[in-house]
Amino acid sequence: AAAANIVITADGTLDLNSVELDIDASGAVTLDGATVTIKGTGASKYGDDTATLDFNGSGAVSETGMTSFSITPSGAITLTAGAASTWSTTSGALTITSASAATWSSSAGNLTIDSAAGSLVLDGHSGAQLTSSNSGEVDITSAAAVDINAATSFSIDGADDSSITVTGSNKDIDISVAGGGTQELRLASAGSGSSAIHLNASDGGINIDSNDMITIDASDEITIDTNSTDGHIAITSFHTAGQSILISANQNIGSILDIDAGIIDIDVQDT
């Protein structure tokens, strides 16, 4: 075997050269120095198979030039920093994968997820839940359109006064059922006041178009008023034969049809 080369220089430096170096100790081994450098030209291993491997120092731990870095323990990994920290890549993707339920949280302040150069994709294969568990609101703000698509039904519920509003001038809201068949567009209110359903056109008219009949049923009065001095009410039928307009007040012998007008003008084309 090749002989070891041990040199102690005049300034006290110990220079040890050997083919292999095996240090065995039944107790602790301590290396102290202003700077300690341990390196190998081939594969290197630090640690043991039974106890803890500790890196402890008041300065920074730095690694430069490593082609890849792999940590594969049989137990848990805990990373704890005493200051703001960054986990990033200079190129390529950063993937974080968990084999079980996982939590990503902030104990103080906001948690920000920012896709600066692309889209943010959240994919819950069995569902997705966005919850504000305390008193804070959920605020969705978009610089462009917001598109919500559901393969089946969707539901929006609020426990307090709510609104859907378009604030831009000359912009519309369309609510439609477009699939055809016997579909219905339903507006329902369980309110008990006199305006349980309130349609208010504050600066324009109300236009109702139907390709078939229009039916209005009320358990009490129906009132149609126009309040302008030049306003009028027109009921027109384009029916060409038979009964065109029916005013029926014949539920009972005491029912009264009351027409109150300054002038009544009735024109007929036939008798």
Side-chain angles (χ1 to χ4, degrees), residues 14 42 60-61 69 98 101 118 125 132-133 140 158 169 174 182 195 202 235:
L14 173 62
V61 176
F69 184 51
S98 173
H125 288 200
S132 176
S133 57
I140 300 175
S169 177
D174 289 334
T182 58
S195 58
S202 62
I235 301 176

Side-chain angles (χ1 to χ4, degrees), residues 21-120:
L21 177 62
D22 186 0
I23 300 176
D24 293 320
S26 60
V29 176
T30 302
L31 297 177
D32 293 322
T35 301
V36 178
T37 301
I38 303 175
K39 63 181 180 179
T41 59
S44 302
K45 179 180 178 182
Y46 304 97
D48 58 56
D49 298 328
T50 57
T52 301
L53 176 62
D54 292 330
F55 292 92
N56 185 12
S58 59
V61 176
S62 176
E63 190 289 320
T64 302
M66 187 180 294
T67 58
S68 63
F69 184 51
S70 177
I71 301 177
T72 310
S74 59
I77 295 177
T78 301
L79 300 176
T80 304
S85 305
T86 301
W87 195 356
S88 63
T89 64
T90 57
S91 65
L94 175 63
T95 301
I96 301 175
T97 304
S98 173
S100 184
T103 301
W104 194 0
S105 65
S106 173
S107 60
N110 298 329
L111 179 61
T112 301
I113 301 175
D114 185 4
S115 178
S119 300
L120 176 62

Side-chain angles (χ1 to χ4, degrees), residues 230-256:
D230 62 346
H232 68 281
I233 296 175
I235 301 176
T236 304
S237 172
F238 288 94
H239 193 51
T240 58
Q243 189 179 77
S244 294
I245 296 176
L246 171 65
I247 300 176
S248 176
N250 197 27
Q251 181 68 27
N252 188 274
I253 193 173
S255 300
I256 298 174

